[in-house]
Amino acid sequence: MRIDMSTSRPGTPTQTNAATRRKHDDAPDTTALFTRLAALQDGPERDAVRDELVAAWLPMAHRIAGRFRDRGESLEDLRQVAALGLVKAIDRFEPERGAFESYAVPTITGEVKRHFRDRMWALRVPRRVQELRNKVRLARRELTQNPGSPEPTAADIAAHTGLTEDEVAAGMEALESFSTLSLDAELSAGDEGYSLVDTLGSSDASYDVVVDRESAKEGLRRLPERERAILYMRFFEDMTQSRIADQLGISQMHVSRLISRSCARVRDEVLGQRSVRGTDRGRTAA
């Protein structure tokens, strides 16, 4: 078996004992190809060498992708992401820095993790919360790896990870938030036709009435007393225009004109106030 010459840190090659390092079966010797790739200019020949390197190292990329199976993403998609990471590693690798495997493994792994972080969440979750989720998930796995171990509490996880209990709580909530539940999903097997959307509230039209009424108060106060009385009789006592006319000793046509004029005046004042408020908010924001 060929002994791989790797590096303990980039740029400082050291020989590794065969007893302490085992070379993976999917780590081919491509030193000559990388040397050749580095010496070539962009063009068909360089592309061919690059494709040869990708084909040689693709099994390793697939192996890394396999570590992330059963996490909500198909293996085929994970392999495509890992292959993308492999191409990036080949393009950025500098042969004089050491063994390609030492550079490619973290590059490909990072690409797959980035895929889960940026693409797999149904809703955009802050990166800090995603990190808390991963720490909590790993801590729970470590604390329950022994048979018969009880389910760790938030305090146990906090002590194990060095997080606060509030951070642990946020991470545990995120564990259940990787995917979303359809609003059309039935709540239970026995509740046919009863879905999550049925539990949600709806807009109450009464709120709009309250807003409109409060907005109209000032305008109504500024109306002449007779016009306020006419509006009160028409809209609060539900009196007809002819009855109001008889009570005030004026014509029904005059009552109609006063109602229309009063409503238009109040409406114009309300809309003018809203326009001024909107302008003031815009100036404040600017």
Side-chain angles (χ1 to χ4, degrees), residues 54 57-58 60-66 68 72-90 92 104-120:
V54 170
W57 287 96
L58 197 57
M60 182 194 70
H62 288 174
R63 171 170 57 83
I64 294 174
F68 297 87
E73 182 69 298
S74 69
L75 181 59
E76 182 60 31
D77 288 341
L78 290 175
R79 285 181 171 180
Q80 291 183 11
V81 175
L84 176 61
L86 171 62
V87 172
K88 290 182 178 180
I90 291 173
R92 299 170 184 172
V105 170
T107 301
I108 297 171
T109 302
E111 190 70 25
V112 177
K113 289 182 176 180
R114 190 177 303 108
H115 172 76
F116 276 96
R117 186 187 71 214
D118 297 338
R119 304 291 183 183
M120 290 299 295

Side-chain angles (χ1 to χ4, degrees), residues 6-14 93-94 96-99 102-103 106:
S6 66
T7 60
S8 57
R9 64 181 61 176
T12 57
T14 58
F93 178 60
E94 300 175 7
E96 65 275 9
R97 302 287 286 181
S102 300
Y103 177 78

Side-chain angles (χ1 to χ4, degrees), residues 36 100 104 270:
R36 183 182 172 193
F100 176 69
V270 170

